[in-house]
Amino acid sequence: MTEILALRAFDDNYIWLLRSAGYAAVVDPGDAAPVLAHLEQSGDRLCAVLATHHHPDHVGGLAEILGRFPVPVFGPRLENIAGVSHPLEGGERIELPQLALELEVISVPGHTRGHIAYYGPSLGDSGALFCGDTLFGAGCGRLFEGTPTQMLDSLSRLAVLPAPTLVYCAHEYTQSNMRFALAVEPDNIAIQKRSEDVARERAANRATIPTRIQLELETNPFLRWDAPGVRAAAASRLGHQPADAVETFTAIREWKNRF
Ligand code: ZN
Ligand code: FE
């Protein structure tokens, strides 16, 4: 059984560490220090690094980690990340033999142009997704390099994963995202309840991640482009009914950028 640990980095990043039988792999090591500290304390041997996209808060620790442990590094082919030995574009299956783990690679451009996600159907009680800065708790990444259509397609690929799938995103943004979700759909009972749950967890300094696809489908405005409440919110921003999902998504994303 693979255990998944959160290593905290910077203000609100999570570096996810997968460990089993004395081996470990890390996802998005923006900082080497917490990774090296874990390896030192636990005695785990590092066997791989997985990167979702090129931003420094996700790959800034790579050089130092590789200087100590020259392990395979998986990452997006479309992005220029020093140290990536196994470039990926989505659609591949990768094996981490030391962890007896197979992961599926999903192309999720939008936040960046080559962003990828890793999905492990056999992880945890019902599968786990490592999605970097694409899908957040009640939110999605900013569109730095991609179009709204690309991001909508990317989020659609994640939305169809099995509903109980655990979602391990790279930031603890859920509480501020919930404030926005409530502004979009003030009458949504699931959003009201999640806001209370998240506030309680954060007040106790506990993580709100992982979340699950099911909870995101119920409460994340960026997966709810077909929900009447989200369409209505988009219509009031636009001054007319949105023609399609892209127009709804674009209006909600632009509102969030200025929220
Ligand atoms: Zn990023
Ligand atoms: Fe980030």
Side-chain angles (χ1 to χ4, degrees):
M1 187 76 175
T2 304
E3 186 186 359
I4 303 173
L5 298 183
L7 307 180
R8 307 190 86 143
F10 312 115
D11 287 340
D12 53 31
N13 280 73
Y14 292 123
I15 300 170
W16 298 108
L17 183 135
L18 288 63
R19 64 194 299 245
S20 179
Y23 284 94
V26 288
V27 184
D28 283 351
D31 186 4
V35 176
L36 297 175
H38 169 88
L39 296 174
E40 179 119 333
Q41 284 157 19
S42 66
D44 286 351
R45 282 164 289 177
L46 190 69
C47 64
V49 176
L50 311 176
T52 63
H53 68 292
H54 69 85
H55 286 158
D57 63 310
H58 298 254
V59 297
L62 253 181
E64 191 178 343
I65 291 169
L66 289 177
R68 298 277 300 278
F69 306 101
V71 298
V73 179
F74 299 87
R77 182 189 297 280
L78 280 177
E79 300 184 0
N80 194 13
I81 303 171
V84 169
S85 57
H86 291 63
L88 302 165
E89 52 201 22
E92 302 93 341
R93 282 166 191 274
I94 63 172
E95 284 208 47
L96 305 180
Q98 295 89 340
L99 301 177
L101 187 61
E102 189 174 78
L103 299 172
E104 298 172 16
V105 182
I106 305 173
S107 169
V108 288
H111 178 66
T112 60
R113 59 189 286 268
H115 202 306
I116 53 176
Y118 301 90
Y119 170 56
S122 67
L123 278 168
D125 56 5
S126 41
L129 172 73
F130 301 91
C131 54
D133 287 357
T134 296
L135 177 65
F136 291 128
C140 76
R142 280 177 187 265
L143 305 183
F144 286 121
E145 299 173 14
T147 65
T149 301
Q150 275 182 321
M151 190 56 139
L152 183 63
D153 287 347
S154 296
L155 292 169
S156 300
R157 281 192 276 281
L158 304 182
V160 297
L161 292 173
T165 302
L166 289 159
V167 177
Y168 293 85
C169 57
H171 290 273
E172 180 60 64
Y173 287 162
T174 317
Q175 191 165 22
S176 64
N177 287 341
M178 286 311 298
R179 284 192 277 276
F180 179 71
L182 261 184
V184 175
E185 289 186 275
D187 300 328
N188 181 317
I189 289 166
I191 291 176
Q192 294 167 3
K193 174 172 185 308
R194 189 181 186 188
S195 294
E196 291 165 14
D197 293 345
V198 164
R200 190 181 331 107
E201 293 305 298
R202 294 307 296 150
N205 197 27
R206 284 194 291 263
T208 66
I209 308 299
T211 169
R212 291 189 193 263
I213 291 290
Q214 177 70 42
L215 183 58
E216 297 311 314
L217 291 172
E218 291 168 358
T219 60
N220 188 326
F222 298 101
L223 293 182
R224 295 177 54 74
W225 48 81
D226 285 334
V230 176
R231 285 179 50 81
S236 73
R237 307 295 297 179
L238 293 163
H240 60 85
Q241 284 298 318
D244 54 19
V246 174
E247 196 173 13
T248 302
F249 178 81
T250 305
I252 298 295
R253 184 61 253 181
E254 282 175 2
W255 181 12
K256 175 67 164 63
N257 292 346
R258 282 176 267 105
F259 187 74

